[in-house]
Amino acid sequence: MSRRLFLFIAVLLVGCQAINPPPTSLTLPIRLIAFWETASGTLQSADEAQPFQFAAQAGDGIRVQVTGSNPVNITLQSPDGTTLVQGVDKVEAALPTSGAYTVLLTVGAATQYDIELGYTDRLNPADFTATPTPTRVVTPTPTPPYYARLGTLIGEVAGGQNRRGEFVRPEDRHVYTLNGRSGDYITVEVAQVTGTVDPVVHFYGPDGSELAADDDSGGGSSARLRNVRLAQDGLYSFQVWGHGFSGEYHIDLAVSLSPIPITTQAARLPTATATPQEPLIPTIQAAVSGQPLEDHVPLLGSLERAGDFDRYSFKVVQGQLITVGVRADANSALQPRLELYDPEGSLIYTATVANSNAEGDVLIPSLLAAQNGDYVVFISGERNTSGAYIVSYGVGFSHEDVRRGITVSDQVYTNEILRRGQSELWSLDLAQDDIISAAASPLSVILDPYLELIAPDGTIISTDDNSGGGRDAFIASARAPISGRYRLRLSAARAAADGQYTLVWRIINRAPTATPAPGTVLLMSYQDIMPENVYQFYPFYGEAGARVSIRVRAESGSTLDPVAVLLAPDGSEIAAGDDGANDLNPNFTASLPASGTYQVRVNGYLSRGAFTVTVEQVFG
């Protein structure tokens, strides 16, 4: 029986009870032991602890005896984890309650041992020979099948059948059986139907060994086992668990004589056209007096009564040019007044409709910041006016963008800056390492275009004012550092004018097409929580010659520093991983030498926490 199966049985017996090993011990996987049974094992050092578990009734007198090449320390723990008795090589006790008890073995030096569990108040049936009588036939009580310990037996499932079930309690686990034939391939998918259930599936062979397990490789809240080849005829079983959540689930079981064809998932390459079309007229959010302003993000505010004022702040770096603008909303009677204060609280600029010359807007154009810190604007109404308004600030020669939509290379676009302090924003999709040029020319005698290329994360890649000759702006060469949607912002230098213009951009050098990444198929994905000083095992089925990629990722907020090892069907180590190139998460590949059940062994390096382990088969 596999160590993973022992773990599941133990969890069912003790209700997820934690074992309490000595603080310096590395707890090995739990093993089950029955009365009058002898088990053997090896403890490599004093840092290891081997737990055994057994079920017993209140009042039972029990004996645990160990023989080994060196003395073995024995600790007997009750179902609630408290220590009942400790000793060396032998302990006896009368059990106070019914339940699952734990025997913990530790050593001072490497030791091979044999452990035997028995009763003190009754004889070993193997030592008793009954006097045969011609009239009596003794029928022994049949041994329950191994899967009886995995959960509630629901029934048998055949290939091509669909079943539905429901988890009502967090501890519910359902077991299904399957009469399998050697050489058949099994594919099982368990998916959520209702509720919050997150299905997990474990598949077992006729001898109780775990062949494969999965949590999330079916996508979303679905578990899927793909093309697990059966090695022998017999009764197989699979356990379905809801991860502690309730709800209905659906099972699809397929049995085939050959592997079911699967479609590989190619890794996505950077693309310049992946970003969807953007709205040309974005929704303006309502303002709350006192909130900070963001660069080129307008807010809709309102002065409800004459004499009211609103206050907003924004952070500025010394030497930046800033432009601030306020305009009355449509149908508003407000005549705005704008006052700007520096971080020391000094009034440094007052703007009104009369002194702004900005088509009715109130404008502070391209002001050079003399110091770092929070600048504050106050908005009030002149001549006892009130009403709605739109306020914004920007770094540079504009405070508000007018979106003009997506553009393509080598096409000339003509449009107009309608208000001083506004800018025109054009979008273009570029691939990483594309190199472009861009040019803007005025069609108005007073407009001096200023051009900026902005990356998807808002970083300004390149700017220009008059490199094209006269008042033409020309960015001669700019490289795209990442793939995504870029923007060309065109404004009037010093926010000094409005007017018509033309804009054109072109590709100077197209980035080379990246080599297609190999296709992959997800074989296993499992979310779990790692305690300290514990090994946990995650099985999957693999075919000889397959190349697999194994990743273990600590979840956000987890302190786990994971370590992973790939184990062959015979238990030998094939490959291992510890820290990745940029983080502490293992990420490595290996080729499988034979067909069978492999295991990913995971532990935390002096740490614990939530994580996800995934195994993908790599093609190409």
Side-chain angles (χ1 to χ4, degrees), residues 154 163-167 174 176 193-194 247-251:
I154 304 300
R163 297 290 294 268
R164 286 183 70 152
E166 182 177 8
F167 294 118
H174 294 169
Y176 297 85
V193 177
T194 64
E248 291 184 286
Y249 62 87
H250 180 270
I251 298 175

Side-chain angles (χ1 to χ4, degrees), residues 217-497:
S217 69
S221 297
S222 298
R224 178 186 294 158
L225 303 178
R226 299 177 185 267
N227 293 324
V228 179
R229 188 176 186 274
L230 306 186
Q232 58 183 309
D233 294 346
L235 187 64
Y236 293 76
S237 64
F238 56 93
Q239 178 203 61
V240 181
W241 178 44
H243 240 316
F245 298 100
S246 60
E248 291 184 286
Y249 62 87
H250 180 270
I251 298 175
D252 284 325
L253 173 66
V255 180
S256 57
L257 297 177
S258 59
I260 296 175
I262 53 180
T263 302
T264 62
Q265 178 67 49
R268 292 185 178 179
L269 297 176
T271 173
T273 58
T275 311
Q277 186 68 30
E278 59 193 5
L280 295 184
I281 304 177
T283 302
I284 299 178
Q285 299 297 320
V288 176
S289 181
Q291 77 179 91
L293 299 177
E294 297 181 31
D295 188 12
H296 282 85
V297 178
L299 295 176
L300 177 63
S302 180
L303 299 176
E304 301 296 335
R305 296 175 300 275
D308 285 353
F309 66 88
D310 284 340
R311 173 186 180 276
Y312 303 96
S313 64
F314 52 90
K315 290 187 178 297
V316 175
V317 176
Q318 183 180 13
Q320 282 183 331
L321 291 174
I322 55 174
T323 299
V324 187
V326 178
R327 71 173 185 273
D329 194 23
N331 303 318
S332 172
L334 179 69
Q335 297 179 28
R337 177 184 177 88
L338 178 63
E339 296 177 344
L340 177 64
Y341 292 80
D342 67 16
E344 295 179 350
S346 300
L347 177 64
I348 58 175
Y349 204 108
T350 299
T352 64
V353 173
N355 68 13
S356 293
N357 189 26
E359 292 78 31
D361 294 354
V362 174
L363 181 66
I364 299 177
S366 60
L367 179 70
L368 183 66
Q371 55 187 300
N372 297 326
D374 290 332
Y375 284 68
V376 179
V377 294
F378 284 86
I379 300 171
S380 57
E382 292 197 300
R383 300 179 180 86
N384 292 320
T385 58
S386 61
Y389 62 85
I390 295 172
V391 58
S392 57
Y393 103 98
V395 176
F397 296 141
S398 62
H399 62 87
E400 182 181 4
D401 293 322
V402 177
R403 299 184 183 181
R404 294 303 185 189
I406 196 72
T407 62
V408 295
S409 177
D410 295 304
Q411 181 170 326
V412 178
Y413 297 88
T414 301
N415 221 301
E416 181 179 6
I417 297 176
L418 297 176
R419 281 184 162 91
R420 288 182 58 205
Q422 285 187 340
S423 56
E424 303 275 286
L425 200 65
W426 299 86
S427 299
L428 60 158
D429 290 326
L430 301 176
Q432 183 176 350
D433 293 326
D434 280 350
I435 299 176
I436 72 163
S437 65
S441 300
L443 298 179
S444 164
V445 295
I446 60 173
L447 179 64
D448 181 7
Y450 182 79
L451 196 56
E452 300 169 276
L453 177 63
I454 305 171
D457 63 357
T459 303
I460 296 178
I461 302 299
S462 184
T463 64
D464 188 69
D465 185 2
N466 297 321
S467 295
R471 289 178 286 124
D472 289 0
F474 179 54
I475 296 174
S477 177
R479 185 185 66 84
I482 60 173
S483 297
R485 178 151 292 178
Y486 288 72
R487 287 168 175 83
L488 284 167
R489 175 183 285 147
L490 192 148
S491 56
R494 296 168 296 284

Side-chain angles (χ1 to χ4, degrees), residues 494-525:
R494 296 168 296 284
D498 52 24
Q500 290 187 319
Y501 64 89
T502 62
L503 173 71
V504 63
W505 67 274
R506 57 179 46 92
I507 293 285
I508 298 175
N509 186 27
R510 180 74 71 181
T513 302
T515 302
T520 60
V521 170
L522 188 59
L523 299 181
M524 187 263 287
S525 176

Side-chain angles (χ1 to χ4, degrees), residues 4 524 526 530 535-540 548-552 563-568 575-577 586 588 592 597-603 611-616:
R4 288 284 292 168
M524 187 263 287
Y526 208 108
M530 177 64 64
Y535 286 131
Q536 294 187 167
F537 297 82
Y538 303 90
F540 67 94
V548 295
S549 171
I550 298 168
R551 294 190 299 275
V552 181
V563 180
V565 175
L566 176 62
L567 302 177
F588 59 95
L592 306 184
T597 295
Y598 291 76
Q599 296 193 79
V600 181
R601 188 184 74 195
V602 182
N603 68 285
F611 68 98
T612 298
V613 54
T614 59
V615 179
E616 291 181 311

Side-chain angles (χ1 to χ4, degrees), residues 8 96 116 119 137 198 255 280 320 339 354 421 524 606:
F8 273 98
E116 182 183 37
Y119 292 103
V137 176
D198 180 11
V255 180
L280 295 184
Q320 282 183 331
E339 296 177 344
M524 187 263 287
L606 302 176

